[in-house]
Amino acid sequence: MGVMNQEYMYQYKIKSDNSAILYRIYGTDMNIVLPKEIDGHPLSEIGPYCFSASNHIPKDVLCTTLTDNLYELCGNQVESVEFPNTIRSIGSHAFYNCKNLKQITISSSLQELGYDAFVNATKLHDIYIQEHSSTPTIIRYLLRQITWDVDIHFQDQTLFYPEYYEVYDEIGPAHIFGMNIQGEGFRLRQCIKNDIVHLEEYDSVFEKLCIEESPKTLMHFALIRSLQKPDLYKTYILEHQKDLLKIDLELSVIEHLLKHQAITKESFDTLLTQSESPQRTTQLIAWKKKYFSIQKSTYSFEDF
């Protein structure tokens, strides 16, 4: 029995290298921040079904001290998990049926991902990687398991991967089927070389996205990439202002669009009219004066 952790109780086992593998966590907050150590043992691995409501906990696990008011953080009781940079492996089905999971945070230390780790965790739309996009990471293996819309947030930029899905069509007698992949999200997921995203290839897929994807998906993609390459996506954004206004734009994104002249005065006025927050409205009014004010003409007597 270990010393009581003020926020969590853990069920874990000690590995041969003296590090710990976590099998279950108890607490009071659905947003979990895992420690680097449990009872002095570096936390290196997440066991199978660790955050799943399915009970696959070995009988010989160790436990830290249990106190009142703690409950199992698993299944629908998990919204986010931040992994320390000591984690090297996440086990199979670790987030199985975690239907309220929205985001996870990892680092380049994560090297192994078990099969079906995110089955039915389809609300997971944000993955934060505590590295720059030029650092090799496990992103390729993550994206093999996450086929729905997901934003990958690196320290220097965000990349969006739209949903794709597999369709099986009958192509011959005797019930012979062929697999057909629909959605350009699959093509985007192939733009990874040596565990690093090949950004030039990634951006080149946008033309194909414009044929296959929805206006909402295209605008989300264009806005995110515009933060890094404003000139490349400016024309698209200006030509699709109606779609732009359907996005819930953060103030930082609006300021970026203003600085790069990628939003029209008419669209900006619509945003100002729709604003329901006094603070947001005040900021928008200030930006309107800065970016759309009409300069008064000056005259001299020589003009008459």
Side-chain angles (χ1 to χ4, degrees):
M1 303 293 285
V3 178
M4 168 60 192
N5 184 288
Q6 293 183 358
E7 296 181 353
Y8 304 112
M9 182 208 96
Y10 310 97
Q11 289 184 300
Y12 68 100
K13 292 180 70 172
I14 301 174
K15 300 169 63 177
S16 59
D17 62 0
N18 201 44
S19 67
I21 174 173
L22 180 67
Y23 284 96
R24 191 64 99 208
I25 182 171
Y26 299 76
T28 59
D29 193 334
M30 297 170 68
N31 299 290
I32 303 166
V33 180
L34 293 177
K36 291 186 175 183
E37 293 185 350
I38 297 178
D39 289 346
H41 303 280
L43 180 58
S44 65
E45 187 173 344
I46 302 302
Y49 293 93
C50 179
F51 298 101
S52 170
S54 299
N55 193 331
H56 291 75
I57 304 173
K59 294 181 180 180
D60 57 343
V61 295
L62 301 173
C63 295
T64 53
T65 304
L66 178 63
T67 60
D68 296 333
N69 303 319
L70 299 184
Y71 54 86
E72 282 188 285
L73 297 176
C74 61
N76 291 337
Q77 303 303 317
V78 181
E79 286 191 355
S80 70
V81 179
E82 181 176 332
F83 295 99
N85 58 13
T86 55
I87 294 293
R88 299 192 297 268
S89 175
I90 295 178
S92 301
H93 297 96
F95 291 98
Y96 173 66
N97 267 348
C98 290
K99 296 181 179 180
N100 289 325
L101 179 68
K102 298 176 182 177
Q103 70 178 55
I104 62 172
T105 301
I106 63 172
S107 71
S108 60
S109 64
L110 179 61
Q111 298 296 317
E112 296 181 9
L113 182 65
Y115 60 88
D116 291 341
F118 301 100
V119 171
N120 292 335
T122 53
K123 286 186 179 179
L124 176 60
H125 293 301
D126 293 282
I127 297 177
Y128 292 83
I129 302 182
Q130 297 174 322
E131 310 287 353
H132 281 69
S133 56
S134 58
T135 302
T137 65
I138 201 171
I139 177 177
R140 179 161 55 100
Y141 300 98
L142 283 167
L143 291 172
R144 282 180 181 176
Q145 297 195 22
I146 300 174
T147 60
W148 51 89
D149 289 357
V150 62
D151 288 333
I152 306 293
H153 306 273
F154 293 95
Q155 288 185 331
D156 58 331
Q157 62 184 314
T158 296
L159 299 175
F160 171 50
Y161 291 87
E163 176 186 23
Y164 78 91
Y165 51 95
E166 301 171 351
V167 177
Y168 290 87
D169 301 317
E170 190 168 1
I171 59 176
H175 300 292
I176 298 176
F177 293 87
M179 185 181 71
N180 180 28
I181 297 177
Q182 297 188 6
E184 292 300 323
F186 180 80
R187 193 188 305 272
L188 285 168
R189 284 163 169 81
Q190 310 313 304
C191 303
I192 301 172
K193 316 296 181 184
N194 299 319
D195 296 327
I196 298 175
V197 180
H198 192 283
L199 292 173
E200 184 176 347
E201 183 179 348
Y202 176 89
D203 284 316
S204 71
V205 177
F206 185 67
E207 185 176 349
K208 297 182 178 65
L209 260 68
C210 290
I211 300 173
E212 299 289 339
E213 301 295 340
S214 67
K216 182 178 179 180
T217 293
L218 292 170
M219 184 55 67
H220 183 68
F221 186 101
L223 284 174
I224 286 177
R225 291 305 292 146
S226 173
L227 298 177
Q228 292 295 319
K229 293 188 174 183
D231 293 338
L232 186 60
Y233 292 93
K234 177 179 177 179
T235 299
Y236 178 86
I237 294 173
L238 283 172
E239 291 178 351
H240 297 83
Q241 294 283 290
K242 289 184 179 180
D243 297 328
L244 175 67
L245 293 175
K246 295 177 182 178
I247 302 292
D248 185 14
L249 298 173
E250 296 181 1
L251 285 174
S252 59
V253 175
I254 296 174
E255 185 177 22
H256 173 81
L257 294 173
L258 288 167
K259 288 181 177 179
H260 294 278
Q261 299 178 327
I263 185 170
T264 65
K265 182 178 182 300
E266 291 73 20
S267 295
F268 185 86
D269 285 342
T270 299
L271 290 177
L272 184 55
T273 301
Q274 295 175 344
S275 176
E276 297 179 354
S277 164
Q279 182 179 1
R280 181 182 176 91
T281 301
T282 299
Q283 182 61 75
L284 291 177
I285 291 174
W287 282 339
K288 182 175 182 178
K289 293 178 180 178
K290 179 178 180 180
Y291 291 100
F292 294 111
S293 60
I294 300 175
Q295 299 296 325
K296 292 183 178 181
S297 301
T298 58
Y299 302 94
S300 68
F301 288 107
E302 296 177 358
D303 294 325
F304 298 92

